[in-house]
Structures are given as structure tokens and as C-alpha cells.
């Protein structure tokens, strides 16, 4: 092999090596760029997923708040419907004008009480006296046609279990002597009451026997602390319905006779 041939072979080998090196370098550069591009796309995808998750969480919270608002509106609608259905009959007395009062004579005594309309229901005014059966305690009662449920002033309210049922122990104070009387009644249910607090208050409801005028009946009362109120008892539509008529122009239209007074009257009649 001559020198010229050797030089040609050496040149070809060198060119081949250079070409191989160039291809290897180009391949490495391409792979680096592809890897960087893939990392950038992966980062973009992760950011998009995080954004979608945050939006989904916000949407879930908005849906939960909307559901709570709908539940509150539905509860208010139910209470309004119950109030409309349970609204009792209310009468208003029309006082005649321009008539002279009757002349009193020695043999003719004018009645000091107001005339009552002919009805088999108890006529009550806006304020009456209520007798708690079994305690012989007379308490001032406010008659309100705007309130659906009746309330009685009760303190030291405690829940306990008896024979597998829930009972309530509470204290009623005599307004005259301030003497406490502890009562125990079976809990009928809980009544949700809207107060000044953001969350409604759940209070126990029990059955108590009471007397107003000549009417004696059992009624459902919500137990609540009414020490700040002038009236320990609030008579609502649940006790007025079908048995009482409200005369908004008067007070104490249903005279109440205490138990001891009734007993003494009976004994005096028997002696006569």
C-alpha cells in the first residue's frame, strides 16, 4: 500500500470519527431539550390540577352554604304555615258611643263586670291569672295570639332518664312568696326557639295542668327562664285554640278562684 492510499484511509477514518462525535453531541443536546420540555409541561399540568382542585373545594363550600340557607328558609316557611293554620279566633268588643249610663237606684244594682257574649268558650283578656294545678300557685299570664307555643317560667332545668324515657326536672317559684317548687315531667319533645344568639336554642316541652277562669286543662309548655319578664306564663295559640276567645279590649276577664277559697265556700254552703 502506497503512502497516498494510507493518507486517504486516515482521512476517511478521521471524518468518520468526527461525524460520529457530531451525531452523539447532537443526540445528547436533543435529549436534554426534550427532557426540559417534558419537565416544563409536567409543571404546567400540576399547576392546572392544583387550580382545579382549589376551584372544586370552593364550589363544594358554596353548595353547602346554599343548602344550609335553603334549609333555614324551609324551616321558616313551615313555622309560618303552622302559625297561619293555628291562628285562633279573636273577638273585639265594640263599645257603644253616645249612650247615657243607667241610673242607679236603691233596688237596682248595676253589674260591675263586663257583659260576656253568649258562647261556650272561656272569654279572656290580654292579661289573666293562671293557677298551676297541684301547687296552688297563681301566676300572671300574658295572652298572645301572635305566639304559636306557650311558655312557662322554669329554672334549674335538668334532663334525666326514667324507665327508658327522657324526663325533665325543673323549678317553679311562687311569685308571691318566692318559694321554690320542684316538678318532674316527661319530656314530650324539643322545641327550637329563635333567640338573639346566631344559633337557635332547643328547649324541652312538657305537659302542665292549669286553670284560667272556669277552664281547667292540660297544655304543652316550653320551659324557659322568664325571670326578666313581667309575666311568668305566656299563653299562645296552642292553648287558646277551640277553648278560649280573646277580648283585646280588656284584662282579667276570667276571675280565678283559688283552691282554698273554693273549699271554704263549699264548707260554708254545707253549714247553711
Amino acid at each position: 500500500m502506497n503512502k497516498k492510499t494510507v493518507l486517504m484511509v486516515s482521512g476517511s477514518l478521521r471524518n468518520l470519527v468526527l461525524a460520529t462525535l457530531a451525531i452523539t453531541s447532537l443526540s445528547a443536546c436533543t435529549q436534554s431539550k426534550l427532557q426540559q420540555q417534558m419537565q416544563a409541561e409536567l409543571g404546567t399540568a400540576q399547576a392546572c390540577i392544583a387550580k382545579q382542585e382549589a376551584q372544586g373545594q370552593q364550589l363544594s363550600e358554596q353548595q353547602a352554604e346554599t343548602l344550609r340557607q335553603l334549609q333555614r328558609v324551609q324551616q321558616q316557611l313551615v313555622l309560618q304555615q303552622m302559625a297561619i293554620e293555628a291562628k285562633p279566633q279573636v273577638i273585639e268588643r265594640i263599645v257603644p258611643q253616645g249612650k247615657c249610663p243607667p241610673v242607679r237606684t236603691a233596688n237596682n244594682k248595676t253589674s260591675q263586670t263586663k257583659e260576656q257574649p253568649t258562647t261556650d268558650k272561656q272569654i279572656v283578656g290580654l292579661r289573666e291569672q293562671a293557677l298551676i294545678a297541684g301547687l296552688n300557685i297563681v301566676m300572671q299570664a300574658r295572652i298572645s295570639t301572635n305566639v304559636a307555643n306557650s311558655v312557662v317560667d322554669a329554672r334549674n332545668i335538668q334532663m334525666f332518664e326514667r324507665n327508658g324515657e327522657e324526663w325533665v326536672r325543673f323549678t317553679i317559684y311562687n311569685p308571691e312568696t318566692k318559694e321554690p317548687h320542684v316538678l318532674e315531667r316527661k319530656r314530650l319533645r324539643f322545641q327550637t326557639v329563635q333567640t338573639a344568639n346566631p344559633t337557635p336554642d332547643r328547649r324541652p316541652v312538657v305537659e302542665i295542668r292549669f286553670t284560667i277562669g272556669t277552664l281547667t286543662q292540660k297544655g304543652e309548655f316550653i320551659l324557659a327562664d322568664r325571670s326578666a319578664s313581667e309575666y311568668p306564663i305566656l299563653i299562645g295559640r296552642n292553648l287558646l285554640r277551640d277553648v278560649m276567645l280573646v277580648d283585646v279590649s280588656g284584662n282579667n276577664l276570667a276571675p280565678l278562684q283559688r283552691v282554698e277559697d273554693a273549699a271554704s265556700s263549699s264548707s260554708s254552703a254545707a253549714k247553711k
Side-chain angles (χ1 to χ4, degrees), residues 3-272:
K3 184 176 180 180
K4 185 177 181 179
T5 303
V6 171
L7 291 175
M8 290 177 62
V9 172
S10 298
S12 299
L13 291 174
R14 185 172 61 254
N15 291 335
L16 180 61
V17 171
L18 290 174
T20 303
L21 292 174
I23 292 171
T24 303
S25 177
L26 181 61
S27 176
C29 183
T30 303
Q31 290 180 355
S32 177
K33 289 182 178 180
L34 289 174
Q35 186 175 7
Q36 291 177 358
Q37 184 178 359
M38 291 177 62
Q39 290 178 351
E41 292 178 352
L42 179 60
T44 303
Q46 291 176 345
C48 182
I49 292 173
K51 184 177 180 180
Q52 290 179 351
E53 289 179 350
Q55 291 177 350
Q57 180 66 23
Q58 185 178 5
L59 181 60
S60 298
E61 293 176 355
Q62 291 177 353
Q63 290 177 345
E65 179 62 23
T66 302
L67 180 59
R68 287 192 291 269
Q69 292 178 357
L70 289 175
Q71 290 175 346
R72 287 195 291 269
V73 171
Q74 184 179 7
Q75 185 178 10
Q76 292 176 358
L77 290 175
V78 171
L79 292 176
Q80 292 177 358
Q81 184 65 27
M82 292 173 61
I84 293 174
E85 294 177 353
K87 188 173 183 180
Q89 182 181 1
V90 179
I91 62 171
E92 295 189 10
R93 191 181 310 282
I94 300 176
V95 180
Q97 302 293 333
K99 291 185 178 181
C100 296
V103 179
R104 295 189 179 185
T105 62
N107 297 326
N108 182 22
K109 295 183 179 180
T110 304
S111 175
Q112 299 297 322
T113 59
K114 300 175 70 174
E115 280 189 23
Q116 303 292 345
T118 304
T119 177
D120 57 348
K121 299 179 182 180
Q122 176 68 59
I123 305 297
V124 294
L126 295 180
R127 293 189 294 271
E128 294 292 343
Q129 289 185 323
L131 174 68
I132 304 299
L135 300 180
N136 198 25
I137 294 178
V138 176
M139 308 176 77
Q140 294 297 322
R142 172 70 175 176
I143 310 298
S144 177
T145 60
N146 297 325
V147 177
N149 300 292
S150 302
V151 187
V152 65
D153 181 22
R155 322 280 179 83
N156 306 322
I157 301 174
Q158 299 176 355
M159 307 295 299
F160 67 97
E161 185 175 340
R162 175 178 292 173
N163 299 328
E165 297 178 331
E166 288 192 6
W167 282 59
V168 188
R169 182 182 295 111
F170 55 96
T171 303
I172 289 181
Y173 286 87
N174 189 325
E176 298 177 356
T177 64
K178 307 303 180 182
E179 180 184 2
H181 296 268
V182 179
L183 300 180
E184 294 180 351
R185 293 290 187 275
K186 180 181 177 182
R187 181 185 65 79
L188 302 180
R189 65 179 185 280
F190 281 108
Q191 180 69 39
T192 301
V193 179
Q194 189 65 42
T195 61
N197 298 325
T199 56
D201 191 9
R202 294 176 70 250
R203 296 175 181 172
V205 177
V206 300
E207 192 174 62
I208 298 177
R209 191 172 184 85
F210 69 101
T211 299
I212 292 181
T214 60
L215 176 66
T216 300
Q217 66 170 340
K218 287 184 178 180
E220 294 184 0
F221 287 87
I222 299 174
L223 300 181
D225 187 348
R226 293 180 57 84
S227 56
S229 176
E230 180 182 358
Y231 303 96
I233 296 180
L234 180 63
I235 302 295
R237 293 192 299 270
N238 67 317
L239 300 183
L240 296 173
R241 186 169 52 248
D242 300 331
V243 293
M244 300 187 201
L245 293 180
V246 182
D247 183 351
V248 297
S249 66
N251 297 311
N252 298 317
L253 302 181
L256 183 65
Q257 189 177 28
R258 289 175 177 268
V259 174
E260 57 266 23
D261 295 340
S264 60
S265 298
S266 300
S267 289
S268 299
K271 290 179 180 179
K272 291 180 181 180

